[in-house]
Amino acid sequence: MKRRKIFHEIADSIDEGMIYIDKKRRFQVFNHKAKEITGVIFKNAASHPAGTVEDGDIVIIADNLIGNDDGDLKPEDLALINIKDKNIKTGDALLAIGVYKNSEMKPVYKYIRGNSITPQFELSELYLGFSVSAMILAKESLMRITVNNINYDIMYLNSVGHMVIVDGKTGQVKFFQEKGYTVRKESLKEVLTGAHYLAKGTSGNELEVIGATIEDIFEYNDLFKEIDEILVGNSGGICSTDYELNKRPVRCSIYPVGNENGVDGVVLKIRDLSKMEELLQDRNEIIMEMEKKSHNFNKLYMDISADAFENFVGNSMLMKEVKFLAYKSSKTKFNVLITGESGTGKSQLAYEIHHLYNKKAPFVEVNCNAIAPNLIESELFGYVGGAFTGALSSGKTGYFEQANGGTIFLDEIADLPMEMQVKLLYVMQNKVIYRVGATKPTYVDIRIITATNQNLQKAVANGTFRQDLYYRINVFPIHVPPLRERKSDLYLLINKILNKICNRYNLEPKLFSGQALNKIMHYNWPGNVRELENVIERAITLCDSNLIYPEHINIMEIQPQTVMNFKKRVQQAEKEILKNALKEYSGDKQKIMEELGISKSVFYDKLKRYGIK
C-alpha cells in the first residue's frame, strides 16, 4: 500500500497526463494532470455546490450548434425556459435568457443559422434586475456568459453548449458549465432537463475514476478502439497521435505493459492541444489572484456561512456590504445603529445580528414611537408595586430586564423623549436600571441595537437628540439602502414573499405573469420592502387563479414634488420682493425704485412680466 501511494504521488507530480488501463479496461492510475486535461477536475477559483435546476431559476444559454456537443439538445427542449419558437432549428446558434418552468415569464433570445454565425454574436440584457450577457466569440473559439460583471468562460473545439444558472431564491450562481461536462454527465441538455450536477471547486467533489471502465468516463471512440487492439495483442503501441477525449483535442502515446505471457495493460500519456485555452486559463488565474489581493472585502464576505441572513433577502453589491457589516458586528457586543428609510428591513437585520451572535438568548423589540411618553419609562425599566396610580401591586418587569443576557432593539430611537434619552445614556454607561419607584438598581447584561429612519446628525444639530447619546449608540453604524437603489434584489424578494404568504395561508403556489413582474420592476417602491409585501399580499387575495396579472397589482403612485430650477427660484424671489415692497411703501413707485436700486424701465418690465398690478 505504501509503495502504491508513493507511485501515485510521483505520477501526480508529472506535468503530463498519465493513465494506466488494465486488462479489464479499468483505470488503475489516473494522475492529476490527466484529470485536469480531461475535465475530471479543473482549476477555477469559482465554485458551486451540487444540485439541480429548479422552478424559478434564471437560465442563461450560449450554444453555437444546437444538437451537437450539448447532450443532443432539441429546439423543443427550450420550452423549459418558455422559448417555443418553431423557427429555431437543430444546427442553429442560440443565445438565450429565461426562467425555468415559468410559462408566463418572457424569455430573451437571439438565434442565427450555425453556418452564418458572426465573429462576435452577443446578447446583453438587464433581466429581472440582473445584468446578464451571453456571447459566442467565434474567432477565439470562446463562449462567455456574464452575470453581474462576473465572467464564466469555456473554450471549444468545434461546438459546445454553455450554461449558467442563477438561483431564483438567492440570486447566487448555482451552476456554471466547465470543461469535462461530458465526463461529469453535465451537458446542457442533461442539466436543463433536471439531471443532478456535481459540486465544483469544493472538497469532495472529484469524480472517482480509479476502478471505473473506459465507458464510465469517456465516449468510446477511435482512441479506445486502438487501446482494445493493444490489449488483445493485435497492435504494438502508438506514439504522438492526435485524438479527441470527450471532444477535447489531445496528443496521445500508448505503450503496452506486460511480459512474454501477454499484455497486462496499457500506459496512456496525453497532452492538451488547446494551448490557447491554457493561456487563457493562466491569465484568468493571475487576474483572480490579483483581485483577491486587492478586494479584501470580497474575500472576507466569502467567509460568511451560506445560511446566514436567510430571511434578510438581497444579493446586490449594496446588500452584500450590509450583510458583511452585520456579520462583523455580530461577532462583538458593540452597540449597533441601523439607519434607513421606513420598510427597508431594519428590524429584520437587527434580529439577524442577534441570531448570529446568540440565537438562544432573548431578543426584545421596542418601538419607541408606539409608547405614550408618560408610560415609556415604566415600559422600558419596569416598576415596583404601587409605584403610581393604576400600577399592578406585584409590579412589572420592563423590556430591559426581559432582554437581560440578550439583545434589546430600540426602533425609531429618534422619537425617544429628551428626558428618556438621559436615562438611556445612564443605562448604557453603567449597565444598571432603576424600576420606577425602586431605590435599588437592577444590573443588566444586554446588547443594544437601535434604528431610525431619521437623520440623527441633523437632530443633534437641532437640539432634539443628545449628542452624547448619539455617540454611544453609533459605535457600529449600518445603513440599509432603499429598494429603488437595489432593484436587482426585487426578483429574489418577490419569490421569497410570494412563497411566505402562500405558505402562511395554505394557498397553492402562485406565479407572476411577465407583465405583472414588469410593473413591479418599474416602480420605485417608496415604502420599500414593507410596501412590496403589502402589494403582493393584496394581489394574492385578489387573484383567484395561480397566475397574478398586472390588474392584481395595486400600486399607489406618489407624484414627486416639482423642483424649481435656479432661474425659476430667482424669478419667484423677485416677484415676492416686488409685492412686499408695494405693500410696504403703499404703492409709491419712485420710493420703491430708489430702495431696490433699479431703473424705471426694469421696474415696469418686471411688474409686467410677473403680472403685478
Side-chain angles (χ1 to χ4, degrees):
M1 289 293 292
K2 187 175 180 180
R3 288 182 179 179
R4 181 179 293 182
K5 183 180 178 182
I6 293 171
F7 175 77
H8 280 285
E9 288 176 353
I10 293 171
D12 283 339
S13 69
I14 300 172
D15 193 28
E16 184 177 38
M18 188 175 76
I19 300 170
Y20 176 67
I21 304 170
D22 67 15
K23 186 78 172 178
K24 294 181 180 180
R25 303 170 69 255
R26 295 183 181 276
F27 298 109
Q28 297 301 334
V29 176
F30 210 118
N31 78 341
H32 190 84
K33 190 64 177 180
K35 290 176 181 177
E36 285 184 2
I37 293 171
T38 59
V40 173
I41 59 174
F42 62 96
K43 297 185 295 182
N44 197 317
S47 64
H48 68 68
T52 57
V53 62
E54 296 176 340
D55 297 3
D57 289 344
I58 299 171
V59 177
I60 307 109
I61 291 173
D63 193 338
N64 71 327
L65 202 61
I66 294 175
N68 191 54
D69 207 17
D70 53 16
D72 195 24
L73 184 75
K74 301 285 192 268
E76 49 266 31
D77 295 327
L78 299 171
L80 289 165
I81 57 171
N82 209 18
I83 297 177
K84 302 172 183 178
D85 193 334
K86 293 184 179 179
N87 293 313
I88 299 175
K89 307 293 183 186
T90 298
D92 289 351
L94 172 75
L95 302 173
I97 310 166
V99 178
Y100 191 68
K101 288 189 177 180
N102 186 333
S103 59
E104 290 302 317
M105 287 307 307
K106 187 177 180 181
V108 181
Y109 63 94
K110 293 167 70 173
Y111 67 92
I112 193 172
R113 300 299 174 224
N115 56 3
S116 305
I117 193 166
T118 56
Q120 181 167 321
F121 185 41
E122 182 175 3
L123 172 68
S124 295
E125 192 77 17
L126 186 63
Y127 192 79
L128 300 177
F130 295 87
S131 177
V132 180
S133 71
M135 66 176 70
I136 302 171
L137 302 169
K139 285 186 177 180
E140 293 87 349
S141 296
L142 171 69
M143 299 274 192
R144 170 168 291 165
I145 292 175
T146 305
V147 179
N148 290 340
N149 299 318
I150 298 176
N151 294 334
Y152 298 89
D153 293 350
I154 189 168
M155 302 293 296
Y156 63 94
L157 185 61
N158 296 311
S159 60
V160 75
H162 189 19
M163 178 167 62
V164 171
I165 302 173
V166 178
D167 193 312
K169 299 183 184 71
T170 67
Q172 302 280 6
V173 169
K174 63 186 290 186
F175 173 83
F176 57 85
Q177 197 61 274
E178 252 292 350
K179 71 178 183 179
Y181 57 83
T182 309
V183 176
R184 300 164 67 87
K185 313 297 183 191
E186 294 174 355
S187 67
L188 196 159
K189 176 164 182 171
E190 287 171 307
V191 176
L192 187 65
T193 53
H196 188 272
Y197 53 78
L198 299 176
K200 293 190 182 77
T202 58
S203 60
N205 67 324
E206 186 178 312
L207 279 173
E208 185 55 58
V209 291
I210 302 301
T213 64
I214 291 171
E215 288 83 356
D216 289 336
I217 305 300
F218 299 116
E219 293 178 346
Y220 194 76
N221 60 11
D222 290 342
L223 171 61
F224 296 106
K225 288 178 184 177
E226 193 63 49
I227 290 172
D228 285 338
E229 288 293 307
I230 297 172
L231 286 172
V232 297
N234 293 338
S235 178
I238 293 173
C239 185
S240 299
T241 304
D242 297 342
Y243 290 96
E244 282 189 4
L245 277 178
N246 289 351
K247 304 294 192 302
R248 297 188 59 75
V250 292
R251 179 154 294 167
C252 300
S253 296
I254 309 173
Y255 305 100
V257 176
N259 51 37
E260 63 276 3
N261 296 322
V263 178
D264 291 326
V266 296
V267 172
L268 179 65
K269 292 172 61 178
I270 57 175
R271 288 184 178 275
D272 194 348
L273 290 180
S274 53
K275 296 297 183 183
M276 185 184 298
E277 181 177 358
E278 289 182 359
L279 291 173
L280 181 68
Q281 189 67 28
D282 288 344
R283 185 207 65 182
N284 287 345
E285 286 177 7
I286 292 169
I287 292 172
M288 286 178 195
E289 286 301 317
M290 292 173 66
E291 288 177 342
K292 279 184 181 180
K293 292 176 182 177
S294 61
H295 293 82
N296 290 326
F297 167 78
N298 288 334
K299 185 174 183 296
L300 286 168
Y301 183 74
M302 287 163 55
D303 295 335
I304 302 176
S305 62
D307 58 346
F309 307 106
E310 184 179 358
N311 295 311
F312 191 68
V313 181
N315 198 40
S316 61
M317 285 308 299
L318 285 172
M319 290 302 282
K320 281 186 176 181
E321 184 173 358
V322 169
K323 289 180 180 180
F324 169 73
L325 292 172
Y327 175 76
K328 297 297 285 184
S329 71
S330 73
K331 300 303 177 187
T332 69
K333 287 189 71 173
F334 291 145
N335 298 327
V336 177
L337 172 62
I338 305 174
T339 59
E341 295 178 6
S342 292
T344 50
K346 300 186 292 294
S347 299
Q348 184 64 48
L349 184 61
Y351 177 75
E352 297 290 339
I353 293 170
H354 160 79
H355 188 263
L356 281 172
Y357 181 76
N358 186 358
K359 62 183 178 182
K360 294 181 180 179
F363 176 82
V364 177
E365 181 175 348
V366 182
N367 193 324
C368 295
N369 64 6
I371 306 173
N374 62 323
L375 294 176
I376 195 163
E377 182 178 2
S378 61
E379 290 295 314
L380 289 179
F381 304 141
Y383 59 83
V384 296
F388 51 85
T389 304
L392 296 173
S393 59
S394 59
K396 182 181 178 181
T397 302
Y399 293 130
F400 271 81
E401 282 187 80
Q402 292 173 30
N404 198 14
T407 302
I408 188 167
F409 171 53
L410 302 176
D411 199 7
E412 304 302 344
I413 187 69
D415 294 324
L416 198 66
M418 187 64 77
E419 60 272 17
M420 280 306 302
Q421 292 180 28
V422 177
K423 294 181 179 181
L424 177 60
L425 181 64
Y426 179 83
V427 172
M428 296 179 77
Q429 288 174 336
N430 299 289
K431 303 298 182 184
V432 296
I433 62 167
Y434 283 89
R435 286 188 175 191
V436 176
T439 56
K440 293 182 179 181
T442 301
Y443 292 90
V444 288
D445 176 22
I446 55 173
R447 195 237 190 98
I448 298 176
I449 301 178
T450 55
T452 181
N453 60 5
Q454 299 182 38
N455 187 329
L456 283 185
Q457 289 179 317
K458 191 174 289 186
V460 169
N462 294 337
T464 59
F465 199 85
R466 291 183 63 94
Q467 187 178 48
D468 47 5
L469 179 59
Y470 172 69
Y471 290 136
R472 275 285 177 180
I473 64 175
N474 195 34
V475 176
F476 205 112
I478 302 174
H479 178 72
V480 183
L483 195 50
R484 63 182 172 274
E485 292 179 8
R486 52 184 185 97
K487 284 199 170 183
S488 61
D489 292 328
L490 262 173
Y491 184 61
L492 311 180
L493 279 164
I494 290 165
N495 284 335
K496 185 77 174 180
I497 294 168
L498 197 60
N499 292 331
K500 181 178 73 174
I501 295 173
C502 288
N503 290 334
R504 182 192 302 162
Y505 297 112
N506 294 317
L507 299 172
E508 290 290 325
K510 294 180 183 288
L511 295 172
F512 282 96
S513 71
Q515 289 179 322
L517 196 55
N518 190 55
K519 186 175 182 179
I520 288 175
M521 299 294 289
H522 286 85
Y523 178 59
N524 269 338
W525 300 105
N528 296 294
V529 181
R530 186 180 295 122
E531 182 186 9
L532 178 65
E533 286 183 342
N534 293 339
V535 168
I536 292 176
E537 187 162 6
R538 186 176 189 277
I540 291 172
T541 305
L542 292 173
C543 177
D544 293 325
S545 68
N546 289 336
L547 204 58
I548 299 171
Y549 291 104
E551 51 266 32
H552 299 134
I553 308 297
N554 185 28
I555 295 174
M556 301 294 292
E557 291 280 2
I558 299 175
Q559 297 296 330
Q561 294 182 347
T562 303
V563 179
M564 290 188 294
N565 60 27
F566 181 73
K567 184 177 179 181
K568 287 184 178 179
R569 290 187 183 209
V570 171
Q571 291 172 346
Q572 184 69 28
E574 285 184 344
K575 184 177 179 179
E576 291 299 318
I577 290 169
L578 286 168
K579 288 171 71 175
N580 291 335
L582 284 165
K583 287 179 182 179
E584 185 177 348
Y585 297 107
S586 302
D588 188 338
K589 299 179 181 65
Q590 188 62 41
K591 184 70 174 173
I592 293 170
M593 286 184 280
E594 289 175 2
E595 289 296 320
L596 297 180
I598 56 176
S599 65
K600 183 177 180 180
S601 60
V602 171
F603 176 70
Y604 281 100
D605 176 66
K606 291 191 180 293
L607 289 181
K608 182 180 179 181
R609 181 186 302 175
Y610 301 135
I612 300 173
K613 294 182 181 180

